[in-house]
Amino acid sequence: MQRHTTLGEFIIENQKDFPYAKGELSALLSSIRLAGKMVNQEINKAGLAEITGAVGHENVQGEDQMKLDVLANDLFISTLRSRGEICGLGSEEMEDFVSFNDPIHSEAKYVVLIDPLDGSSNIDVNVSVGTIFSIYRRISPSGSPVQLEDFLQPGNKQVAAGYLIYGTSTILVYTTGNGVNGFTYDPGIGSFFLSHPKMQAPRDGKIYSINEGNYIHFPEGVKQYIKWVQELDEASNRPFTSRYIGSLVADFHRNLTKGGIYIYPTGTKAPKGKLRLLYECNPMAFLIEQAGGKATDGYTRILDIQPEELHQRVPFFCGSMKMVEKAEEFMAKHRK
Ligand code: P6P
């Protein structure tokens, strides 16, 4: 009987894709795989285990911190730390990065940036949520404590990035710069199996994802783009379809699969945009480019932006190449 390749087998078969690696990628991705299984388990029983809802205080982002946010954050930190492959970690849930300074970890070559549970406000209403991760080689001297500069690298220096989507099924999607592959979790066996090989974003599409409730706050270019997608023009498949889940990983995964564009622009409520450059936009930008799509801040390639702070926010236009290019045309035309 023909069976699918497991994630572990795939990583080993493609170990050569991870430069200078002696199994570090395997260890790193297998720790993410393990943590993903544990988070998946907690999410699936969230309603029963009194772990839904807010913990009663805000996180560094000024957002209500959900119990599962904290749990997911702790699970990823402990699992990533246990494999000894990273010297530090930055997370949406923590103001500062964590430095692993013991002799084993301080010699490790990699740092990880993570949004442990993106879209967590949706958990209580049983909507898909996700984990987003981004991996860099450290640039500070090996053996020394990790530095902020190790995390403030432009996205074009990422060595791997991916996400887990905890939805109708749990899927892990990642890239090491040699294409994008997706693995579906089989809870009965406890393994991830290759289900989406060599993912490619359709070059064009007709789904747009944006929170139109913020319309009055949008820059003129975005307003004009929304007007354009809503015009009747059969030759260009318009009006487009609006789909906005309120969970980046879910909207991104649908657009990657079917074609589409996700936009979170600046606005008076979010002067620099809402999404965080380091652990949301950069990993998603790496993935979408590897899948033939595009990601910018409306003007500049996301992966070329030089980060200045750990929780920096940027505007985000991401998805099918032709759709992002069209939105950029409106942004350029109406640029102040
Ligand atoms: P809004 C979740 O908090 C998140 O970071 C993304 O997952 C999601 O796309 C976006 O914010 C939703 O933001 O302002 O539309 O509710």
Side-chain angles (χ1 to χ4, degrees):
M1 178 187 81
Q2 181 66 25
R3 69 166 176 81
H4 293 290
T5 304
T6 67
L7 174 57
E9 292 164 342
F10 184 88
I11 292 170
I12 291 166
E13 286 166 15
N14 295 277
Q15 184 62 55
K16 66 186 181 317
D17 293 343
F18 205 58
Y20 336 105
K22 300 180 195 62
E24 292 98 332
L25 173 67
S26 309
L28 254 179
L29 285 173
S30 69
S31 54
I32 289 170
R33 172 183 58 194
L34 175 60
K37 289 180 187 177
M38 292 190 275
V39 170
N40 178 66
Q41 171 111 4
E42 294 304 327
I43 286 173
N44 287 342
K45 68 183 182 185
L48 302 173
E50 293 308 309
I51 53 174
T52 56
V55 290
H57 54 72
E58 292 184 340
N59 62 11
V60 66
Q61 318 291 340
E63 297 163 347
D64 285 341
Q65 197 163 41
M66 312 301 282
K67 292 172 186 170
L68 268 171
D69 279 328
V70 176
L71 183 64
N73 190 56
D74 295 349
L75 279 173
F76 274 97
I77 290 176
S78 60
T79 313
L80 281 162
R81 180 181 186 137
S82 68
R83 300 294 175 96
E85 297 303 342
I86 63 171
C87 51
L89 178 139
S91 167
E92 185 203 33
E93 296 304 325
M94 303 184 300
E95 182 140 13
D96 294 321
F97 60 84
V98 174
S99 176
F100 301 146
N101 288 335
D102 58 272
I104 294 174
H105 289 90
S106 60
E107 297 288 338
K109 295 176 188 162
Y110 302 100
V111 296
V112 171
L113 286 145
I114 193 163
D115 183 354
L117 207 55
D118 179 71
S120 54
S121 56
N122 289 307
I123 287 170
D124 293 358
V125 294
N126 209 20
V127 166
S128 300
V129 293
T131 297
I132 310 170
F133 63 90
S134 171
I135 303 174
Y136 290 86
R137 287 177 68 84
R138 74 178 302 177
I139 52 178
S140 58
S142 177
S144 64
V146 72
Q147 304 296 319
L148 181 58
E149 63 175 345
D150 293 307
F151 298 96
L152 299 186
Q153 300 182 57
N156 56 42
K157 299 290 187 189
Q158 291 175 97
V159 292
Y163 60 83
L164 287 126
I165 178 169
Y166 310 102
T168 46
S169 57
T170 293
I171 301 175
L172 187 152
V173 176
Y174 83 92
T175 182
T176 58
N178 294 281
V180 178
N181 292 282
F183 301 80
T184 299
Y185 183 52
D186 180 336
I189 298 177
S191 295
F192 284 89
F193 290 92
L194 180 62
S195 52
H196 300 70
K198 298 182 174 62
M199 299 182 82
Q200 281 293 299
R203 187 163 174 73
D204 204 351
K206 60 171 293 182
I207 296 174
Y208 69 104
S209 306
I210 188 169
N211 183 344
E212 294 189 62
N214 296 326
Y215 182 87
I216 55 165
H217 303 294
F218 289 156
E220 188 58 25
V222 172
K223 289 180 179 176
Q224 293 305 316
Y225 177 68
I226 291 174
K227 284 195 171 70
W228 182 82
V229 302
Q230 293 176 347
E231 283 170 354
L232 181 59
D233 179 307
E234 289 175 9
S236 58
N237 260 331
R238 287 181 286 147
F240 289 170
T241 297
S242 173
R243 287 286 184 274
Y244 190 71
I245 300 171
S247 184
L248 170 63
V249 175
D251 281 315
F252 179 93
H253 187 74
R254 186 207 48 250
N255 291 344
L256 170 61
T257 311
K258 294 179 177 282
I261 184 171
Y262 172 100
I263 301 176
Y264 209 108
T266 57
T268 44
K269 285 200 313 184
K272 294 183 179 174
K274 177 183 181 182
L275 298 190
R276 279 58 56 139
L277 174 60
L278 291 184
Y279 39 79
E280 290 176 322
C281 301
N282 271 337
M284 292 319 214
F286 190 14
L287 286 162
I288 202 69
E289 287 198 3
Q290 283 290 311
K294 191 172 188 183
T296 73
D297 64 2
Y299 309 106
T300 306
R301 182 186 183 225
I302 289 290
L303 296 183
D304 291 340
I305 295 174
Q306 175 54 53
E308 290 165 6
E309 54 185 31
L310 202 57
H311 300 290
Q312 180 173 337
R313 297 173 191 265
V314 291
F316 195 47
F317 295 63
C318 177
S320 296
M321 176 69 77
K322 289 188 70 173
M323 297 185 82
V324 174
E325 288 173 345
K326 189 67 183 175
E328 288 178 316
E329 279 179 30
F330 283 96
M331 292 302 284
K333 184 177 174 186
H334 298 279
R335 188 169 198 171
K336 285 198 177 73

